[in-house]
Amino acid sequence: MAQPAFQRARTEENKRQRAAALVEAARSLAVETGVASVTLTAVASRAGIHYSAVRRYFTSHKEVLLHLAAEGWARWSNAVCAELAEPGPMSPARVAETLASGLVADPLFCDLLANLHLHLEHEVEIERVVEIRRSIAVAAISLADAIERALPVLGRSGAFDTLIAAYSLASAFWHIANPPEQLTDAYAEEPDALPPEWNIEFASALTRVLTATCIGLVSESPRPTREA
């Protein structure tokens, strides 16, 4: 079978389109088969780009996935900031539920978070990691600002503690609630391998534990003293 003819991108616009095609190919593969199974060869094939040409745009598949993670941070930040800006009584439970619902609505982002620190920042040029980290920082700061406005008693450090708890819990719980298929089958055959409480439902577990964490942070926050 004749191989498809690949043409090199000549203009800056062509290059942007080619890079966007690779990111979209990685997105569709990650949604279909999970972040851990994405390879640069599969991304190139899905995008219709020769493997040798991909490295003109990304050093590895992990760099492509890092871009998807940054997009996920932006989506989560936008959704949470918009929700917390809505009128109505504010409480630790409402803030926690808003953070959790934004994560639950974005399974790909949760899968990316579960791999972000463990795998995705490896085998990527430091300069590119720092560049992507800057965009993630913008989203994180916006989230912390929204949390602090919603619950001023938390202060700046408490708002960031809440944010760190949200994405850390999402990362851990996603792994627990979504084991590889072969492990799911093995656990079904060997029910004593895990306590039944370990068989969590992602949305309810994340919301429950994050709510408890947020309530605890608020209760431990120092209250302003009244002047006599």
Side-chain angles (χ1 to χ4, degrees), residues 21-222:
L22 289 166
V23 171
E24 288 307 310
R27 188 196 313 279
S28 64
L29 286 167
V31 168
E32 291 172 15
T33 62
V35 167
S37 66
V38 174
T39 66
L40 201 59
T41 301
V43 170
S45 178
R46 176 65 61 90
I49 298 172
H50 197 277
Y51 176 81
S52 63
V54 174
R55 292 186 181 276
R56 298 192 186 104
Y57 306 93
F58 299 103
T59 55
S60 72
H61 70 286
K62 293 181 180 181
E63 185 182 346
V64 188
L65 293 171
L66 275 177
H67 279 272
L68 291 178
E71 290 179 3
W73 271 97
R75 287 194 303 273
W76 186 33
S77 179
N78 291 338
V80 169
C81 290
E83 178 66 24
L84 293 183
E86 292 290 326
M90 201 58 64
S91 68
R94 179 179 171 184
V95 170
E97 289 168 6
T98 301
L99 288 164
S101 63
L103 290 162
V104 170
D106 200 338
L108 173 58
F109 181 46
C110 293
D111 195 1
L112 288 161
L113 282 178
N115 288 273
L116 180 59
H117 299 293
L118 190 61
H119 298 295
L120 298 188
E121 292 180 332
H122 301 273
E123 300 176 26
V124 180
E125 294 176 358
I126 296 299
E127 294 79 5
R128 297 198 179 188
V129 174
V130 171
E131 178 185 348
I132 293 168
R133 272 285 169 190
R134 286 196 182 100
S135 66
I136 290 176
V138 170
I141 290 170
S142 295
L143 277 163
D145 288 344
I147 294 168
E148 187 177 9
R149 284 193 298 269
L151 296 172
V153 67
L154 285 173
R156 192 65 171 168
S157 62
F160 267 100
D161 283 347
T162 302
L163 175 58
I164 291 168
Y167 81 76
S168 299
L169 288 169
S171 172
F173 286 3
W174 183 261
H175 268 309
I176 295 170
N178 296 276
E181 185 176 351
Q182 60 269 31
L183 281 180
T184 302
D185 295 339
Y187 295 153
E189 295 175 2
E190 300 289 343
D192 294 338
L194 293 174
E197 293 81 7
W198 202 260
N199 186 25
I200 64 171
E201 196 278 320
F202 177 69
S204 59
L206 176 62
T207 303
R208 181 178 67 254
V209 178
L210 185 54
T211 299
T213 302
C214 196
I215 291 172
L217 286 169
V218 168
S219 68
E220 292 180 0
S221 297

